[in-house]
Amino acid sequence: MRILIKNGKIVTAADSYQADILIEDEKIVAIETNSAASADQVFDAAGRYVFPGAIDVHTHLDMPFGGTVTADDFTTGTTAAAAGGTTCIVDYALQTPGKTLGEALEAWHKRADGKCAIDYGFHVAVTDLNDAVLTEMPALINKGYPSFKVFMAYKGVFQVDDSTLLKVLKKSGEAGGLVLVHAENGDVIDVLCREMLAAGHTEPLYHALSRPPEAEEEAVNRFITMAQLSGAPAYIVHLSDAGALARVAEARLQGYPVYAETCPQYLFLDLDRYNEPNFGGAKYVMSPPLREAGNEEFLWSGLASGNLQVVASDHCSFNFKGQKDLGRGNFTKIPNGAPGLETRVQLLYDGGVDGGRFSINKFVDLVSTAPARLFGLYPQKGTIAAGSDADLVIFNPEAPFTFSQATQHQNVDYNPYEGYSGKGVPEQVFSRGALVIDNGKFVGKVGHGRFQPRKPFSGL
Ligand code: URP
Ligand code: ZN
Ligand code: ZN
């Protein structure tokens, strides 16, 4: 099967130029001006950008959490991702205490294999370290799982202690892995939660007040210090706070391989959301929480300057009715997380490129190229080049959109960006040469998505 995409403006992290793209089966085979190649199907991309499929390296699909299971599974989640211009995700397999990392991966493969509309991979979260787990790590890196997650929060559930952090960093660094961290001080948060509940504060707002910026700043600082001690590269997920960003910037200035991602929710939403009436604030209960208005401009600057390298969604959807509800009367029982797989790319284009904060090349870097490089998928993914996978988005920068729960593909009963409108729509999305989205409609196949083993960490 040969597909020709004609007349589009190709955009990569490095440059933008007018050319045609020839796809043969799953791969890009040629990029040339005024192509006369024959093809089975031709798409006219005049007036459109063509950029590499976006990669979302932080998702939670079909994940048991907070006494329930996320609303999106691998089918609805990857379909929604495709609708938003994302063609590859990296989800988290969570170790069950007492079991191996291999068993966690086996369980997550069962959840995902045969059920995805786009390609996928896994990080693995270490929640219970022992010698056998340390021995497993190098073997997993060589099998295509080169990234390990540790949690400094969620006391009594996923949280690990400092000795675990250091040991995981050392082993991962020696073996060619990258350690990802949820950086909030879980012990401090635990005390504050108890104090607030004891004082009768049960509403969603207290989720945010019990997780202050200082809890994130302290954990980021501690984790970076341990990364420096171990010499290992380190990556902070869902960084939300200006003070934490300053610590990352300082370490990078000193030459340490410290990387960080932020998420659209910290760029577009703020603390005031927790005051939505009728328990509506529960829709925004996530960790770290939304911050004070004004904080987001520091994050936008961090993206523009390069101190933040990736924008991921941290998609972790729970229905308002029946799931978020579990925390009426006790904010600590509200399942943590919010949907965002489908809206990530358009939000970042709208706020970043249309908003004049950075170039379209920087945008491509943040949503596709840098994640591909950091997580061992480049140049198979994350760019437009002969030989790369034909994961492509034909994007109309003039087309208007309005986000709404009523029209989304995400399988959840609300959209945190309900009513948000802007410009820039992924009109056609290709996953390894297969058209999966055509003018907002899913036209792909569940099961087309394939597990992508990733290469060891090699920098950015
Ligand atoms: O609240 C969040 N972020 N839920 C998902 C799990 C995590 O901490 O990333
Ligand atoms: Zn987290
Ligand atoms: Zn997460």
Side-chain angles (χ1 to χ4, degrees), residues 5-346:
I5 301 176
K6 282 191 77 66
N7 307 319
K9 187 165 199 176
I10 297 176
V11 184
T12 68
D15 45 19
S16 317
Y17 56 99
Q18 205 77 33
D20 304 336
I21 300 174
L22 183 64
I23 300 170
E24 196 163 312
D25 300 327
E26 300 192 348
K27 299 282 183 192
I28 296 169
V29 291
I31 301 168
E32 53 192 8
T33 45
N34 302 319
S35 174
S38 62
D40 303 294
Q41 233 182 332
V42 178
F43 289 84
D44 184 5
R48 313 299 196 255
Y49 293 122
V50 185
F51 54 72
I55 299 172
D56 193 336
V57 292
H58 190 158
T59 67
H60 304 278
L61 301 176
D62 200 0
M63 182 180 77
F65 192 39
T68 183
V69 178
T70 55
D72 278 297
D73 62 13
F74 279 88
T75 296
T76 62
T78 55
T79 304
T86 291
T87 53
C88 186
I89 61 165
V90 188
D91 201 270
Y92 287 94
L94 306 175
Q95 181 195 13
T96 302
K99 297 200 172 176
T100 65
L101 302 184
E103 284 169 306
L105 286 163
E106 214 177 290
W108 255 265
H109 271 288
K110 272 203 191 117
R111 293 180 158 100
D113 293 353
K115 296 179 191 149
C116 291
I118 55 163
D119 291 346
Y120 60 98
F122 295 111
H123 315 287
V124 59
V126 179
T127 63
D128 183 17
L129 190 68
N130 54 44
D131 287 347
V133 167
L134 282 170
T135 310
E136 270 191 289
M137 289 174 57
L140 291 181
I141 292 172
N142 293 324
K143 281 189 186 157
Y145 309 96
S147 40
F148 302 94
K149 170 83 172 285
V150 282
F151 291 89
M152 297 171 81
Y154 303 126
K155 191 175 165 72
V157 187
F158 302 135
Q159 185 175 332
V160 296
D161 60 13
D162 289 356
S163 66
T164 298
L165 296 179
L166 188 63
K167 285 180 193 170
V168 170
L169 276 161
K170 281 183 176 224
K171 180 58 79 177
S172 171
E174 282 160 24
L178 179 63
V179 181
L180 285 58
V181 70
H182 174 134
E184 286 185 295
N185 185 321
D187 289 331
V188 164
I189 290 165
D190 185 56
V191 171
L192 296 179
C193 284
R194 287 170 197 275
E195 282 177 4
M196 286 175 186
L197 288 175
H201 299 309
T202 61
E203 292 301 306
L205 174 66
Y206 291 91
H207 168 78
L209 300 183
S210 62
R211 309 182 88 100
E214 290 83 351
E216 184 175 2
E217 288 160 25
E218 187 281 329
V220 164
N221 188 51
R222 183 158 34 108
F223 185 71
I224 288 177
T225 305
M226 277 191 270
Q228 290 172 344
L229 276 172
S230 69
Y235 177 99
I236 294 144
V237 304
H238 53 41
L239 187 140
S240 73
D241 163 61
L245 173 59
R247 185 65 188 97
V248 171
E250 184 189 320
R252 290 179 59 78
L253 200 61
Q254 291 168 344
Y256 290 101
V258 173
Y259 307 93
E261 92 190 4
T262 192
C263 312
Q265 49 271 36
Y266 304 118
L267 298 166
F268 286 88
L269 307 174
D270 65 49
L271 191 68
D272 194 37
R273 295 280 173 153
Y274 295 112
N275 295 317
E276 264 191 23
N278 304 320
F279 197 60
K283 292 185 275 185
Y284 312 97
V285 165
M286 62 184 78
S287 297
L290 301 176
R291 302 298 188 191
E292 294 270 8
N295 175 74
E296 76 284 358
E297 278 311 327
F298 292 91
L299 301 180
W300 282 114
S301 300
L303 293 171
S305 71
N307 283 321
L308 292 167
Q309 299 77 37
V310 172
V311 175
S313 69
D314 191 14
H315 179 94
C316 187
S317 57
F318 296 104
N319 286 313
F320 182 70
K321 283 205 185 81
Q323 294 193 295
K324 291 284 185 183
D325 275 12
L326 296 168
R328 275 190 199 271
N330 181 343
F331 68 86
T332 66
K333 301 239 183 312
I334 302 170
N336 281 207
L341 248 175
E342 190 167 351
T343 45
R344 174 184 69 122
V345 171
Q346 285 173 275

